[in-house]
Amino acid sequence: MTYRIFGAIDVGSYEVNLKIYELSARNGVRVINHVRHRMELGKDTYATGRIGAEMVDELCAVLLDFKRIMKEFGVEEYRACATSAIRETHNRLLLLDRILLRTGIRLEVLGNAEQRYLGYQSIASNEQAFQNIIEKGTAIVDVGGGSIQISLFDKDNLVTTQNIRMGTLRLRERLSDVAARTARYAEVMEELLNNELRTYKKLYLKERNIRYIMLVGNYIQYIEQYVHKNRGKNEITREEFMAFYEDFVRKGQQAMEEELGVPDENSSLLIPTLVIYKRLLEETGAEKVVILGMDLGDGLAYDCAVRRKILKSRHNFENDIIEAARNIAKRYHTNRNHTQVLEQLALTIFDKIRSVHGLGGRERLLLQIAVLLHDCGKYINMAQSSECSYNIIMATEIIGLSHEEREMVANIVRFNSGHILSFEELASSSLLDRAEYLKIAKLTAILRVANALDRSHKQKIREIRVSLKDNHTMQILVDTTEDLTLEQSLFGEKAEFFEEVYSIRPVLKAKKL
């Protein structure tokens, strides 16, 4: 039986975790060891924007210990990832360099969208439960130390995902001076959360029927065990949670911590966590809370198993990224009919010239997202739509895309109708490298040509056939029942950049039906 030993290191806001997994086709993703070390990296970050030298020394010692444990277990591959506590530090690059030199571990700092996507993959690794639940109205809520991520699913599709920067550790630190001065600590926390959650409800929960909340985060397992007395049902009704919350308030924090069996070092985060869970249940109106007990490490392991072809996912994650982009486009009232035609045109051109551009499936996905979002800036300013589109995309998280990929999409859209910057000009305000710049140029050239074919936004083309006639010509033969004078007159202008990028001249030929 083929299997792989994989290690996942998660450097979180208040805990550093090592999980070692056996990945196999027969048993799937199986945890064989779990080591955790409590340290509140986020406390320094959220308060001062930096992590102190003593904390860095402790982190390096822990990572060296993790390295030794992985060697003992024969780990063949590992990923070490950090989230908001490292991501939000002002001295991040210096910090990562010190960790690499002292431990030999290259810490990968995940963007928020990447982090949540991996968490979402960890839930999807429990495929049957995941698939059954997302067919109904479901909110997947990932409560971390720094923020809350809420992803809405309906009829197997990801509708939207949003991040609220109000996680358990950040919430506790914001109100650190209040705890000792009031008996209404939980109520004060609710007041701080209320504005954010009510705004979210107004913008994203209107007319949505949310039946389930699937919770990813700490302490929910303790609550479930308390409610069901270790019967392991993996579900809590709304009424059961609210009864538990009333019990907690009545008995007091210390008594409930003892009953729940929460370790002393974690107890200060219990109230912020419960308040967040309670308010989310109230605002979504969900009937049930589902607990699968997954974390970032499980997502990293599942991702590795799929990449190594040890497991095959039944859920189409790329489709979720595309659906999220469609919903962003809908929010900014883009022209749906034009976008549908442009999607077909651009992807057909991409597929027919694979031997010329040398790009893969991931770049095809980026092109598709760029098509879906290329006109969203018109909602803000029609005269400067390409710049506005760029700013919208850069300000909008697209779950499943890294920050670099989102920046590539934003630039493809910006250069579709605007002046394309040289690499040197782009590099002055971006960390994208030359390889990524070349991908932007290649995909922009395709988008420009495809966009020229529906310049009137009247969807005149019925069928398109693309062929490379020789090393210097790409023939685009279209079937139409309408006059293409406008498209043909403006096509040459867009074809020039395509020829500059590929050294191939696009030629448009129309066949009248």
Side-chain angles (χ1 to χ4, degrees):
M1 178 178 69
T2 303
Y3 70 93
R4 191 172 193 85
I5 304 298
F6 176 80
I9 296 174
D10 171 12
V11 179
S13 297
Y14 48 83
E15 208 169 62
V16 185
N17 279 276
L18 166 65
K19 275 190 172 182
I20 297 175
Y21 302 83
E22 179 190 272
L23 312 178
S24 68
R26 179 185 293 176
N27 299 320
V29 177
R30 187 170 72 90
V31 181
I32 57 178
N33 194 35
H34 185 189
V35 183
R36 58 179 65 188
H37 178 82
R38 172 78 182 186
M39 60 183 303
E40 294 192 354
L41 288 167
K43 185 175 181 178
D44 278 6
T45 299
Y46 306 144
T48 67
R50 294 181 180 276
I51 295 176
E54 286 184 15
M55 194 76 82
V56 175
D57 290 342
E58 184 182 349
L59 177 58
C60 288
V62 171
L63 291 176
L64 283 169
D65 199 37
F66 283 0
K67 201 172 176 181
R68 176 187 58 77
I69 295 168
M70 288 194 292
K71 187 176 180 181
E72 288 174 0
F73 276 84
V75 168
E76 301 160 81
E77 180 181 353
Y78 75 90
R79 272 180 83 181
C81 295
T83 53
S84 62
I86 303 286
R87 185 169 64 235
E88 295 183 26
T89 55
H90 299 320
N91 58 341
R92 184 173 78 180
L93 291 177
L94 293 172
L95 178 63
L96 294 176
D97 185 61
R98 281 157 66 193
I99 291 169
L100 176 61
L101 291 174
R102 290 170 63 177
T103 69
I105 291 175
R106 190 176 297 278
L107 202 56
E108 179 185 349
V109 181
L110 298 174
N112 183 65
E114 294 172 284
Q115 174 191 343
R116 307 308 178 171
Y117 186 64
L118 284 162
Y120 157 42
Q121 279 190 304
S122 75
I123 299 169
S125 65
N126 191 327
E127 288 192 334
Q128 196 56 53
F130 177 72
Q131 209 59 42
N132 289 343
I133 289 167
I134 64 169
E135 287 171 2
K136 300 132 185 165
T138 302
I140 295 181
V141 179
D142 186 350
V143 179
S147 64
I148 308 163
Q149 189 80 20
I150 307 175
S151 302
L152 301 182
F153 283 82
D154 195 18
K155 297 175 184 172
D156 200 23
N157 285 326
L158 177 65
V159 177
T160 185
T161 183
Q162 293 295 321
N163 185 255
I164 300 172
R165 285 166 62 88
M166 200 64 77
T168 52
L169 186 58
R170 198 188 298 269
L171 189 57
R172 189 198 71 184
E173 291 306 301
R174 286 277 296 275
L175 297 175
S176 58
D177 61 333
V178 173
R181 292 193 288 108
T182 180
R184 297 179 56 253
Y185 184 42
E187 291 174 47
V188 173
M189 281 193 173
E190 285 194 44
E191 288 177 21
L192 184 58
L193 274 169
N194 281 347
N195 185 53
E196 299 283 353
L197 291 180
R198 284 175 180 160
T199 301
Y200 177 82
K201 182 178 182 178
K202 185 177 179 181
L203 291 174
Y204 301 105
L205 293 179
K206 261 191 316 188
E207 301 173 4
R208 295 215 173 275
N209 180 23
I210 303 297
R211 293 181 58 192
Y212 292 93
I213 280 186
M214 192 181 289
L215 286 174
V216 182
N218 290 328
Y219 305 113
I220 192 64
Q221 282 81 12
Y222 293 109
I223 299 167
E224 190 273 329
Q225 288 167 13
Y226 179 86
V227 170
H228 296 130
K229 306 303 178 191
N230 295 312
R231 281 180 286 163
K233 287 175 67 175
N234 294 334
E235 268 189 18
I236 301 173
T237 66
R238 177 191 180 86
E239 291 74 21
E240 284 173 331
F241 179 88
M242 291 305 180
F244 166 83
Y245 190 84
E246 292 303 318
D247 256 6
F248 187 94
V249 172
R250 181 172 52 82
K251 292 181 180 178
Q253 180 173 339
Q254 190 171 349
M256 285 301 290
E257 282 168 6
E258 290 172 8
E259 287 195 49
L260 292 170
V262 176
D264 288 343
E265 64 269 22
N266 294 351
S267 61
S268 65
L269 295 175
L270 184 56
I271 288 181
T273 304
L274 294 180
V275 169
I276 290 170
Y277 290 161
K278 173 180 181 281
R279 290 296 296 117
L280 286 168
L281 264 174
E282 288 173 339
E283 292 298 347
T284 60
E287 302 162 13
K288 290 185 179 179
V289 176
V290 180
I291 308 110
L292 293 180
M294 302 296 181
D295 59 23
L296 178 62
D298 299 322
L300 291 169
Y302 184 73
D303 181 65
C304 176
V306 172
R307 281 189 293 104
R308 297 292 179 188
K309 297 186 168 37
I310 296 169
L311 297 177
K312 186 175 181 181
S313 174
R314 285 189 293 170
H315 186 76
N316 189 334
F317 291 102
E318 281 199 356
N319 190 57
D320 290 329
I321 300 171
I322 293 164
E323 285 302 314
R326 288 194 202 283
N327 279 291
I328 294 166
K330 184 178 178 182
R331 192 186 314 156
Y332 291 101
H333 300 280
T334 60
N335 185 325
R336 187 178 175 186
N337 292 333
H338 169 65
T339 300
Q340 283 178 337
V341 168
L342 187 54
E343 197 175 348
Q344 180 201 352
L345 297 172
L347 295 181
T348 299
I349 295 170
F350 181 96
D351 291 339
K352 292 296 183 181
I353 64 167
R354 281 182 184 273
S355 60
V356 177
H357 57 57
L359 303 176
R362 193 66 181 179
E363 289 75 28
R364 188 182 192 272
L365 175 66
L366 298 183
L367 174 63
Q368 190 170 2
I369 294 168
V371 168
L372 293 170
L373 301 179
H374 80 286
D375 264 351
C376 61
K378 288 182 178 177
Y379 183 84
I380 308 295
N381 187 324
M382 292 186 68
Q384 298 176 341
S385 63
S386 60
E387 284 297 324
C388 289
S389 296
Y390 171 86
N391 289 323
I392 286 171
I393 295 166
M394 289 302 294
T396 306
E397 284 192 331
I398 304 173
I399 196 165
L401 295 190
S402 66
H403 175 83
E404 290 75 16
E405 288 175 325
R406 182 155 48 98
E407 190 174 352
M408 287 170 68
V409 170
N411 278 301
I412 293 163
V413 168
R414 175 164 58 154
F415 300 150
N416 172 50
S417 55
H419 166 67
I420 186 162
L421 302 177
S422 67
F423 172 69
E424 289 72 23
E425 289 172 313
L426 185 67
S428 66
S429 59
S430 168
L431 293 177
L432 295 178
D433 61 25
R434 291 180 184 276
E436 289 161 334
Y437 176 80
L438 286 173
K439 289 176 185 178
I440 291 169
K442 290 177 179 181
L443 296 177
T444 300
I446 294 172
L447 180 58
R448 283 186 173 192
V449 167
N451 205 15
L453 296 173
D454 192 36
R455 190 65 185 84
S456 64
H457 286 214
K458 291 175 69 176
Q459 298 81 56
K460 298 175 182 177
I461 293 171
R462 298 290 180 86
E463 202 70 47
I464 176 173
R465 290 177 293 282
V466 178
S467 58
L468 296 171
K469 287 300 180 185
D470 50 50
N471 290 332
H472 305 291
T473 307
M474 178 180 72
Q475 180 176 285
I476 301 174
L477 180 62
V478 299
D479 294 342
T480 181
T481 56
E482 300 187 49
D483 181 71
L484 288 184
T485 301
L486 175 63
E487 282 72 16
Q488 286 173 322
S489 64
L490 298 176
F491 185 78
E493 174 191 326
K494 299 294 184 181
E496 284 180 11
F497 183 65
F498 190 97
E499 187 174 13
E500 181 183 337
V501 171
Y502 293 108
S503 297
I504 293 173
R505 183 73 181 175
V507 176
L508 175 61
K509 293 194 173 182
K511 180 182 175 185
K512 204 75 180 284
L513 297 175

